Amino acid sequence: MLKEEITPTLAKLKEERSSFLEYQKIVRELEHLNKLYIAYKYVCAEVCTFFVSVPVPVLTPFVVTSSPTTASRPSTPLNPSPLAPQIRLC
């Protein structure tokens, strides 16, 4: 009689317990990933705000010499800033 009533109930409870533990693990991971996402958005907003607030010097693309023969055409291109490739909008 015990085996007929208790064993199936015990097996069902063990299965429900393992399902609940898996659910808790997923919820913890989701909360952790959500916190990482919020932190990423914060850092990205800070970086974008920094680059927007920093005045960017206006560079002319070419240096024009004053000689009459080359005054109408550009001579040498300016080297871009070393920070230029690193700037990325969020």
Coordinates of all heavy atoms in Angstrom, one line a residue:
M1 N 0.8 -1.2 0.0 CA 0.0 0.0 0.0 C 0.9 1.3 0.0 O 0.6 2.2 -0.7 CB -0.9 0.0 1.2 CG -1.8 1.2 1.2 SD -3.0 1.0 2.5 CE -3.1 2.7 3.1
L2 N 1.9 1.3 0.8 CA 2.8 2.4 0.8 C 3.5 2.7 -0.5 O 3.6 3.8 -1.0 CB 3.9 2.3 1.9 CG 3.4 2.4 3.3 CD1 4.6 2.1 4.3 CD2 2.9 3.8 3.6
K3 N 3.9 1.6 -1.1 CA 4.6 1.7 -2.4 C 3.6 2.2 -3.5 O 4.0 3.0 -4.4 CB 5.2 0.4 -2.9 CG 6.4 0.0 -2.1 CD 7.0 -1.3 -2.7 CE 8.2 -1.7 -1.9 NZ 8.8 -2.9 -2.4
E4 N 2.4 1.8 -3.4 CA 1.4 2.3 -4.4 C 1.0 3.7 -4.3 O 0.8 4.4 -5.3 CB 0.1 1.4 -4.3 CG 0.3 -0.1 -4.6 CD -0.9 -0.9 -4.3 OE1 -1.9 -0.3 -3.8 OE2 -0.9 -2.1 -4.5
E5 N 1.0 4.3 -3.1 CA 0.6 5.7 -2.9 C 1.8 6.6 -2.8 O 1.8 7.7 -3.3 CB -0.3 5.8 -1.7 CG -1.6 5.1 -1.8 CD -2.5 5.2 -0.6 OE1 -2.2 6.0 0.3 OE2 -3.5 4.4 -0.5
I6 N 2.8 6.2 -2.0 CA 3.9 7.2 -1.7 C 4.9 7.3 -2.8 O 5.4 8.3 -3.2 CB 4.5 6.8 -0.4 CG1 3.5 7.0 0.7 CG2 5.8 7.6 -0.1 CD1 4.0 6.6 2.1
T7 N 5.2 6.1 -3.4 CA 6.3 6.1 -4.5 C 5.9 7.1 -5.7 O 6.8 7.9 -6.1 CB 6.6 4.7 -4.9 OG1 6.9 3.9 -3.8 CG2 7.7 4.7 -5.9
P8 N 4.7 7.0 -6.2 CA 4.4 7.9 -7.3 C 4.4 9.3 -6.9 O 4.9 10.2 -7.6 CB 3.0 7.4 -7.8 CG 2.8 6.1 -7.3 CD 3.7 6.0 -6.0
T9 N 3.9 9.6 -5.7 CA 3.9 11.0 -5.2 C 5.3 11.5 -5.0 O 5.6 12.6 -5.3 CB 3.0 11.1 -3.9 OG1 1.8 10.5 -4.1 CG2 2.9 12.5 -3.4
L10 N 6.1 10.7 -4.4 CA 7.5 11.1 -4.2 C 8.2 11.3 -5.5 O 9.0 12.3 -5.6 CB 8.2 10.0 -3.4 CG 9.6 10.3 -2.8 CD1 9.6 11.5 -1.9 CD2 10.2 9.1 -2.1
A11 N 8.0 10.5 -6.5 CA 8.7 10.7 -7.8 C 8.2 12.0 -8.4 O 9.0 12.7 -9.0 CB 8.3 9.5 -8.7
K12 N 6.9 12.3 -8.3 CA 6.3 13.5 -8.9 C 6.9 14.7 -8.1 O 7.3 15.7 -8.8 CB 4.8 13.5 -8.7 CG 4.1 14.7 -9.3 CD 2.6 14.6 -9.0 CE 2.0 15.9 -9.5 NZ 0.6 16.0 -9.1
L13 N 7.1 14.6 -6.8 CA 7.6 15.8 -6.1 C 9.1 16.0 -6.4 O 9.6 17.1 -6.5 CB 7.5 15.5 -4.6 CG 6.1 15.6 -4.0 CD1 6.1 15.2 -2.5 CD2 5.6 17.1 -4.1
K14 N 9.9 14.9 -6.6 CA 11.3 15.0 -7.1 C 11.4 15.7 -8.4 O 12.2 16.5 -8.7 CB 11.9 13.7 -7.1 CG 12.3 13.1 -5.7 CD 13.0 11.8 -5.8 CE 13.3 11.2 -4.4 NZ 14.0 9.9 -4.5
E15 N 10.5 15.3 -9.3 CA 10.5 15.9 -10.7 C 10.1 17.4 -10.6 O 10.8 18.2 -11.3 CB 9.5 15.2 -11.6 CG 9.5 15.7 -13.0 CD 8.4 14.9 -13.8 OE1 8.2 13.7 -13.6 OE2 7.9 15.6 -14.7
E16 N 9.1 17.7 -9.8 CA 8.7 19.1 -9.6 C 9.8 20.0 -9.0 O 10.1 21.1 -9.3 CB 7.5 19.3 -8.8 CG 6.2 18.8 -9.5 CD 5.0 18.9 -8.7 OE1 5.1 19.2 -7.5 OE2 3.9 18.5 -9.2
R17 N 10.6 19.3 -8.0 CA 11.7 20.0 -7.4 C 12.8 20.3 -8.4 O 13.3 21.4 -8.4 CB 12.2 19.2 -6.2 CG 13.4 19.8 -5.5 CD 13.8 18.9 -4.3 NE 14.9 19.6 -3.6 CZ 16.2 19.4 -3.8 NH1 16.6 18.7 -4.8 NH2 17.1 20.1 -3.1
S18 N 13.1 19.3 -9.2 CA 14.2 19.6 -10.2 C 13.8 20.6 -11.2 O 14.6 21.5 -11.6 CB 14.6 18.3 -10.9 OG 13.5 17.8 -11.7
S19 N 12.5 20.6 -11.6 CA 12.0 21.7 -12.5 C 12.1 23.1 -11.8 O 12.4 24.0 -12.5 CB 10.6 21.4 -12.9 OG 10.5 20.2 -13.6
F20 N 11.7 23.1 -10.6 CA 11.7 24.4 -9.9 C 13.2 24.9 -9.7 O 13.4 26.1 -9.9 CB 11.1 24.3 -8.5 CG 11.1 25.6 -7.7 CD1 10.3 26.6 -8.1 CD2 11.9 25.7 -6.6 CE1 10.3 27.8 -7.4 CE2 11.9 26.9 -5.9 CZ 11.1 28.0 -6.3
L21 N 14.1 24.0 -9.4 CA 15.5 24.4 -9.3 C 16.1 24.9 -10.6 O 16.8 25.9 -10.7 CB 16.4 23.3 -8.8 CG 16.1 22.9 -7.3 CD1 16.9 21.6 -6.9 CD2 16.4 24.0 -6.4
E22 N 15.7 24.3 -11.7 CA 16.1 24.7 -13.0 C 15.5 26.1 -13.3 O 16.2 27.0 -13.8 CB 15.7 23.7 -14.1 CG 16.1 24.1 -15.5 CD 15.7 23.1 -16.5 OE1 15.2 22.0 -16.2 OE2 15.9 23.4 -17.7
Y23 N 14.2 26.3 -13.0 CA 13.6 27.6 -13.1 C 14.3 28.7 -12.3 O 14.6 29.8 -12.9 CB 12.1 27.5 -12.7 CG 11.4 28.8 -12.5 CD1 11.0 29.5 -13.7 CD2 11.2 29.4 -11.3 CE1 10.3 30.8 -13.5 CE2 10.6 30.6 -11.1 CZ 10.2 31.3 -12.3 OH 9.5 32.5 -12.1
Q24 N 14.7 28.4 -11.1 CA 15.4 29.4 -10.3 C 16.7 29.7 -10.9 O 17.2 30.9 -10.9 CB 15.6 28.8 -8.9 CG 14.4 29.0 -8.0 CD 14.7 28.5 -6.5 OE1 15.5 27.6 -6.3 NE2 14.1 29.2 -5.6
K25 N 17.4 28.7 -11.4 CA 18.7 29.0 -12.0 C 18.6 29.9 -13.3 O 19.3 30.8 -13.4 CB 19.3 27.6 -12.5 CG 20.7 27.7 -13.2 CD 21.2 26.4 -13.6 CE 22.4 26.5 -14.4 NZ 22.9 25.2 -14.9
I26 N 17.5 29.7 -14.0 CA 17.3 30.5 -15.2 C 16.9 31.9 -14.8 O 17.4 32.9 -15.4 CB 16.2 29.9 -16.1 CG1 16.7 28.6 -16.7 CG2 15.7 30.8 -17.2 CD1 15.7 27.8 -17.4
V27 N 16.1 32.1 -13.8 CA 15.8 33.4 -13.3 C 17.0 34.2 -12.8 O 17.2 35.3 -13.1 CB 14.7 33.3 -12.2 CG1 14.5 34.6 -11.5 CG2 13.4 32.9 -12.8
R28 N 17.9 33.5 -12.0 CA 19.1 34.1 -11.6 C 20.0 34.6 -12.7 O 20.5 35.7 -12.7 CB 19.9 33.1 -10.7 CG 19.5 33.2 -9.2 CD 20.6 32.5 -8.4 NE 21.0 31.2 -8.8 CZ 20.4 30.0 -8.6 NH1 19.3 30.0 -7.8 NH2 20.8 28.9 -9.0
E29 N 20.1 33.7 -13.7 CA 20.9 34.0 -14.9 C 20.3 35.2 -15.7 O 21.0 36.1 -16.1 CB 21.1 32.8 -15.8 CG 22.0 33.1 -17.0 CD 22.1 31.9 -17.9 OE1 21.6 30.8 -17.6 OE2 22.8 32.0 -18.9
L30 N 19.0 35.2 -15.8 CA 18.3 36.3 -16.5 C 18.5 37.6 -15.7 O 18.8 38.7 -16.3 CB 16.8 36.0 -16.6 CG 16.0 37.1 -17.3 CD1 16.4 37.3 -18.7 CD2 14.5 36.7 -17.2
E31 N 18.4 37.6 -14.4 CA 18.7 38.8 -13.6 C 20.1 39.3 -13.7 O 20.4 40.5 -13.9 CB 18.4 38.6 -12.1 CG 16.9 38.4 -11.8 CD 16.6 38.0 -10.4 OE1 17.5 37.7 -9.6 OE2 15.4 38.0 -10.0
H32 N 21.1 38.4 -13.8 CA 22.5 38.7 -13.9 C 22.7 39.4 -15.3 O 23.4 40.4 -15.4 CB 23.3 37.5 -13.8 CG 24.8 37.7 -14.0 ND1 25.6 38.5 -13.2 CD2 25.6 37.3 -15.1 CE1 26.8 38.5 -13.7 NE2 26.8 37.8 -14.8
L33 N 22.1 38.8 -16.3 CA 22.3 39.3 -17.7 C 21.6 40.7 -17.8 O 22.1 41.6 -18.5 CB 21.8 38.3 -18.7 CG 22.6 37.0 -18.9 CD1 21.9 36.1 -19.8 CD2 24.0 37.3 -19.3
N34 N 20.5 40.8 -17.2 CA 19.8 42.1 -17.2 C 20.7 43.2 -16.5 O 20.7 44.3 -17.0 CB 18.5 42.0 -16.5 CG 17.6 43.2 -16.8 OD1 17.6 43.8 -17.8 ND2 16.8 43.5 -15.8
K35 N 21.3 42.9 -15.4 CA 22.2 43.8 -14.8 C 23.4 44.2 -15.7 O 23.8 45.4 -15.7 CB 22.7 43.3 -13.4 CG 21.6 43.2 -12.4 CD 22.1 42.6 -11.1 CE 21.0 42.5 -10.1 NZ 21.4 41.9 -8.9
L36 N 23.9 43.2 -16.3 CA 25.0 43.5 -17.3 C 24.6 44.4 -18.4 O 25.3 45.3 -18.8 CB 25.6 42.2 -17.8 CG 26.5 41.3 -16.9 CD1 26.8 40.0 -17.6 CD2 27.7 42.1 -16.5
Y37 N 23.4 44.1 -18.9 CA 22.9 45.0 -20.0 C 22.7 46.4 -19.5 O 23.0 47.3 -20.3 CB 21.6 44.3 -20.5 CG 20.8 45.2 -21.5 CD1 21.4 45.4 -22.8 CD2 19.6 45.8 -21.2 CE1 20.8 46.2 -23.7 CE2 19.0 46.6 -22.2 CZ 19.5 46.8 -23.4 OH 18.9 47.5 -24.3
I38 N 22.1 46.6 -18.4 CA 21.9 47.9 -17.8 C 23.3 48.6 -17.6 O 23.4 49.8 -18.0 CB 21.1 47.9 -16.5 CG1 19.7 47.4 -16.8 CG2 21.1 49.2 -15.8 CD1 18.8 47.1 -15.6
A39 N 24.2 47.9 -17.1 CA 25.6 48.5 -17.0 C 26.2 48.9 -18.3 O 26.8 49.9 -18.5 CB 26.5 47.5 -16.2
Y40 N 26.0 48.0 -19.3 CA 26.5 48.3 -20.7 C 25.8 49.6 -21.2 O 26.5 50.4 -21.8 CB 26.2 47.1 -21.6 CG 26.5 47.5 -23.0 CD1 27.8 47.5 -23.5 CD2 25.4 47.7 -23.9 CE1 28.0 47.8 -24.9 CE2 25.7 48.0 -25.2 CZ 27.0 48.1 -25.7 OH 27.2 48.4 -27.0
K41 N 24.5 49.7 -21.1 CA 23.8 50.9 -21.6 C 24.3 52.1 -20.8 O 24.5 53.2 -21.5 CB 22.3 50.7 -21.4 CG 21.7 49.8 -22.4 CD 20.2 49.7 -22.4 CE 19.4 50.5 -21.3 NZ 18.0 50.3 -21.4
Y42 N 24.6 52.0 -19.5 CA 25.1 53.2 -18.8 C 26.5 53.6 -19.3 O 26.7 54.8 -19.5 CB 25.1 52.8 -17.3 CG 25.8 53.9 -16.4 CD1 25.1 55.0 -16.1 CD2 27.1 53.8 -16.0 CE1 25.6 56.0 -15.3 CE2 27.7 54.8 -15.2 CZ 26.9 55.9 -14.9 OH 27.5 56.9 -14.2
V43 N 27.4 52.6 -19.4 CA 28.7 52.9 -19.9 C 28.7 53.5 -21.3 O 29.4 54.5 -21.6 CB 29.6 51.7 -19.8 CG1 30.9 51.9 -20.5 CG2 29.9 51.3 -18.3
C44 N 27.9 52.9 -22.1 CA 27.8 53.4 -23.5 C 27.2 54.9 -23.5 O 27.8 55.7 -24.3 CB 26.8 52.5 -24.3 SG 26.8 52.9 -26.1
A45 N 26.3 55.2 -22.7 CA 25.7 56.5 -22.6 C 26.8 57.5 -22.1 O 26.9 58.6 -22.6 CB 24.5 56.6 -21.7
E46 N 27.6 57.1 -21.1 CA 28.7 57.9 -20.6 C 29.7 58.2 -21.7 O 30.2 59.3 -21.8 CB 29.3 57.2 -19.4 CG 28.5 57.3 -18.1 CD 28.3 58.6 -17.6 OE1 29.2 59.4 -17.5 OE2 27.1 59.0 -17.3
V47 N 30.1 57.2 -22.4 CA 31.1 57.3 -23.5 C 30.6 58.2 -24.6 O 31.3 59.1 -25.0 CB 31.5 55.9 -24.0 CG1 32.3 56.1 -25.3 CG2 32.3 55.2 -23.0
C48 N 29.3 58.0 -25.0 CA 28.7 58.8 -26.0 C 28.6 60.3 -25.6 O 28.9 61.2 -26.3 CB 27.4 58.3 -26.5 SG 27.5 56.8 -27.4
T49 N 28.2 60.5 -24.3 CA 28.1 61.8 -23.8 C 29.5 62.5 -23.7 O 29.6 63.7 -24.0 CB 27.5 61.8 -22.4 OG1 26.3 61.1 -22.4 CG2 27.4 63.2 -21.8
F50 N 30.5 61.7 -23.4 CA 31.9 62.3 -23.3 C 32.3 62.7 -24.7 O 32.8 63.8 -24.9 CB 32.9 61.2 -22.8 CG 34.3 61.7 -22.9 CD1 34.8 62.6 -22.0 CD2 35.1 61.2 -23.9 CE1 36.1 63.0 -22.1 CE2 36.4 61.6 -24.0 CZ 36.9 62.5 -23.1
F51 N 32.1 61.9 -25.7 CA 32.6 62.3 -27.1 C 31.7 63.4 -27.7 O 32.2 64.1 -28.5 CB 32.6 61.1 -28.0 CG 33.8 60.2 -27.8 CD1 33.6 58.9 -27.4 CD2 35.1 60.7 -28.0 CE1 34.7 58.1 -27.2 CE2 36.2 59.9 -27.7 CZ 36.0 58.6 -27.4
V52 N 30.5 63.5 -27.3 CA 29.7 64.6 -27.7 C 30.1 65.9 -27.1 O 30.1 67.0 -27.7 CB 28.2 64.3 -27.5 CG1 27.3 65.6 -27.7 CG2 27.7 63.2 -28.4
S53 N 30.5 65.9 -25.8 CA 30.8 67.1 -25.1 C 32.2 67.5 -25.3 O 32.6 68.7 -25.1 CB 30.6 66.9 -23.6 OG 31.5 65.9 -23.1
V54 N 33.1 66.7 -25.9 CA 34.5 67.1 -26.2 C 34.5 67.8 -27.5 O 34.0 67.3 -28.5 CB 35.4 65.8 -26.3 CG1 36.8 66.2 -26.8 CG2 35.5 65.1 -24.9
P55 N 35.1 69.0 -27.5 CA 35.1 69.8 -28.8 C 36.1 69.1 -29.7 O 37.2 68.7 -29.4 CB 35.6 71.2 -28.4 CG 36.2 71.0 -27.0 CD 35.6 69.8 -26.4
V56 N 35.6 68.9 -30.9 CA 36.4 68.3 -32.0 C 37.0 69.3 -32.9 O 36.3 70.2 -33.4 CB 35.6 67.3 -32.8 CG1 36.4 66.6 -33.9 CG2 35.0 66.2 -31.9
P57 N 38.3 69.4 -33.0 CA 38.9 70.4 -33.9 C 38.5 70.2 -35.3 O 38.5 69.0 -35.8 CB 40.4 70.3 -33.6 CG 40.6 68.9 -33.1 CD 39.3 68.5 -32.4
V58 N 38.3 71.2 -36.0 CA 38.0 71.1 -37.4 C 39.3 71.1 -38.2 O 40.1 72.0 -38.1 CB 37.1 72.3 -37.9 CG1 36.8 72.3 -39.4 CG2 35.8 72.4 -37.1
L59 N 39.5 70.0 -39.0 CA 40.7 69.9 -39.7 C 40.3 70.1 -41.2 O 39.3 69.6 -41.7 CB 41.3 68.5 -39.5 CG 41.7 68.2 -38.1 CD1 42.2 66.7 -38.0 CD2 42.8 69.1 -37.6
T60 N 41.2 70.8 -41.9 CA 41.0 70.9 -43.3 C 41.6 69.6 -44.0 O 42.7 69.1 -43.5 CB 41.7 72.1 -43.9 OG1 43.1 72.1 -43.5 CG2 41.1 73.4 -43.4
P61 N 41.0 69.1 -45.0 CA 41.5 67.8 -45.5 C 42.8 67.9 -46.2 O 43.6 66.9 -46.3 CB 40.4 67.4 -46.5 CG 39.6 68.6 -46.8 CD 39.8 69.5 -45.6
F62 N 43.2 69.1 -46.7 CA 44.5 69.2 -47.4 C 45.1 70.5 -47.0 O 44.5 71.5 -46.6 CB 44.3 69.3 -48.9 CG 43.7 68.0 -49.5 CD1 42.4 67.8 -49.7 CD2 44.6 66.9 -49.7 CE1 41.9 66.6 -50.2 CE2 44.1 65.7 -50.2 CZ 42.7 65.6 -50.4
V63 N 46.5 70.5 -47.1 CA 47.2 71.8 -46.9 C 47.5 72.4 -48.3 O 48.0 71.7 -49.2 CB 48.6 71.4 -46.2 CG1 49.4 72.7 -46.0 CG2 48.3 70.8 -44.8
V64 N 47.2 73.6 -48.4 CA 47.4 74.3 -49.7 C 48.6 75.2 -49.6 O 48.8 75.9 -48.6 CB 46.2 75.2 -50.1 CG1 46.4 75.9 -51.4 CG2 44.9 74.3 -50.1
T65 N 49.5 75.0 -50.5 CA 50.7 75.8 -50.5 C 50.5 77.2 -51.1 O 49.5 77.3 -51.8 CB 51.9 75.1 -51.3 OG1 51.5 74.9 -52.6 CG2 52.2 73.8 -50.6
S66 N 51.3 78.1 -50.9 CA 51.1 79.5 -51.3 C 51.7 79.8 -52.7 O 51.6 80.9 -53.2 CB 51.6 80.5 -50.3 OG 52.9 80.3 -50.1
S67 N 52.4 78.8 -53.3 CA 53.0 79.1 -54.6 C 51.9 79.2 -55.6 O 50.9 78.5 -55.6 CB 54.0 78.0 -54.9 OG 53.4 76.9 -55.5
P68 N 52.1 80.1 -56.6 CA 51.1 80.3 -57.6 C 50.8 79.0 -58.5 O 49.8 78.9 -59.0 CB 51.7 81.4 -58.5 CG 52.9 81.8 -57.9 CD 53.3 80.9 -56.8
T69 N 51.8 78.2 -58.6 CA 51.6 77.0 -59.5 C 50.8 75.9 -58.8 O 50.1 75.2 -59.5 CB 52.9 76.4 -60.0 OG1 53.7 76.0 -58.8 CG2 53.7 77.4 -60.8
T70 N 50.9 75.8 -57.5 CA 50.1 74.8 -56.8 C 49.0 75.3 -55.9 O 48.4 74.6 -55.2 CB 51.1 74.0 -55.9 OG1 51.7 74.9 -55.0 CG2 52.2 73.3 -56.7
A71 N 48.7 76.6 -56.0 CA 47.7 77.2 -55.2 C 46.3 76.6 -55.5 O 45.4 76.6 -54.7 CB 47.7 78.7 -55.3
S72 N 46.1 76.2 -56.7 CA 44.8 75.7 -57.1 C 44.5 74.3 -56.8 O 43.4 73.8 -56.9 CB 44.6 76.0 -58.6 OG 45.5 75.3 -59.3
R73 N 45.5 73.5 -56.5 CA 45.3 72.1 -56.2 C 45.9 71.8 -54.8 O 46.9 72.4 -54.3 CB 46.0 71.3 -57.2 CG 47.5 71.3 -57.2 CD 48.0 70.2 -58.3 NE 49.4 70.0 -58.0 CZ 50.4 70.5 -58.7 NH1 50.1 71.3 -59.8 NH2 51.6 70.2 -58.5
P74 N 45.3 70.9 -54.1 CA 45.8 70.5 -52.8 C 47.1 69.7 -52.9 O 47.3 69.0 -53.9 CB 44.7 69.6 -52.2 CG 43.9 69.1 -53.4 CD 44.1 70.2 -54.5
S75 N 48.0 69.8 -51.9 CA 49.2 69.1 -52.0 C 49.2 67.8 -51.1 O 49.0 66.8 -51.6 CB 50.4 70.0 -51.5 OG 50.2 70.5 -50.2
T76 N 49.4 67.9 -49.8 CA 49.5 66.7 -49.0 C 48.3 66.6 -48.0 O 47.9 67.6 -47.4 CB 50.8 66.8 -48.2 OG1 50.8 68.0 -47.3 CG2 52.1 66.8 -49.0
P77 N 47.8 65.4 -47.9 CA 46.7 65.2 -47.0 C 47.2 65.3 -45.5 O 48.3 64.9 -45.3 CB 46.1 63.9 -47.3 CG 47.2 63.2 -48.0 CD 48.1 64.2 -48.7
L78 N 46.4 65.7 -44.6 CA 46.7 65.7 -43.2 C 46.5 64.3 -42.6 O 45.7 63.6 -43.1 CB 45.8 66.7 -42.4 CG 46.0 68.2 -42.7 CD1 45.0 69.0 -41.9 CD2 47.4 68.6 -42.3
N79 N 47.4 64.0 -41.7 CA 47.2 62.7 -41.0 C 46.0 62.8 -40.0 O 45.9 63.8 -39.3 CB 48.4 62.3 -40.2 CG 49.6 62.0 -41.1 OD1 49.4 61.6 -42.2 ND2 50.8 62.3 -40.7
P80 N 45.1 61.8 -40.1 CA 44.0 61.9 -39.1 C 44.4 61.7 -37.7 O 45.5 61.2 -37.4 CB 43.1 60.7 -39.6 CG 44.0 59.8 -40.3 CD 45.1 60.7 -40.9
S81 N 43.6 62.1 -36.8 CA 43.9 61.9 -35.4 C 44.0 60.4 -35.1 O 43.3 59.6 -35.6 CB 42.7 62.5 -34.6 OG 42.9 62.2 -33.2
P82 N 45.0 60.1 -34.1 CA 45.1 58.7 -33.8 C 43.9 58.2 -33.0 O 43.7 57.0 -33.0 CB 46.3 58.7 -32.9 CG 46.5 60.1 -32.4 CD 45.9 60.9 -33.5
L83 N 43.0 59.0 -32.5 CA 41.8 58.6 -31.9 C 40.7 58.3 -32.8 O 39.7 57.7 -32.5 CB 41.3 59.6 -30.8 CG 42.3 59.8 -29.6 CD1 41.7 60.9 -28.7 CD2 42.4 58.5 -28.9
A84 N 40.8 58.8 -34.1 CA 39.7 58.7 -35.0 C 39.2 57.3 -35.2 O 38.0 57.1 -35.2 CB 40.1 59.3 -36.3
P85 N 40.0 56.3 -35.4 CA 39.5 54.9 -35.6 C 38.8 54.4 -34.4 O 38.0 53.4 -34.5 CB 40.7 54.1 -36.0 CG 41.8 55.0 -36.2 CD 41.4 56.3 -35.6
Q86 N 39.1 54.9 -33.2 CA 38.6 54.3 -32.0 C 37.2 54.9 -31.6 O 36.5 54.3 -30.8 CB 39.5 54.6 -30.8 CG 40.9 54.0 -31.0 CD 41.9 54.4 -29.9 OE1 41.5 55.1 -29.0 NE2 43.1 53.9 -30.0
I87 N 36.8 56.0 -32.2 CA 35.6 56.6 -31.9 C 34.4 55.9 -32.6 O 34.5 55.7 -33.8 CB 35.6 58.1 -32.3 CG1 36.6 58.9 -31.5 CG2 34.2 58.7 -32.1 CD1 36.8 60.3 -31.9
R88 N 33.4 55.5 -31.8 CA 32.3 54.7 -32.4 C 31.1 55.2 -31.7 O 31.0 55.3 -30.5 CB 32.6 53.3 -32.1 CG 31.5 52.3 -32.3 CD 31.9 50.9 -32.1 NE 31.9 50.5 -30.7 CZ 30.8 50.1 -30.0 NH1 29.7 50.1 -30.6 NH2 30.9 49.7 -28.8
L89 N 30.0 55.4 -32.4 CA 28.8 55.8 -31.8 C 28.1 54.6 -31.2 O 28.1 53.5 -31.7 CB 27.8 56.5 -32.8 CG 28.3 57.8 -33.4 CD1 27.4 58.3 -34.4 CD2 28.5 58.8 -32.2
C90 N 27.4 54.8 -30.1 CA 26.8 53.7 -29.4 C 25.4 53.5 -29.9 O 24.7 54.3 -30.4 CB 26.7 54.0 -27.9 SG 28.3 54.2 -27.1

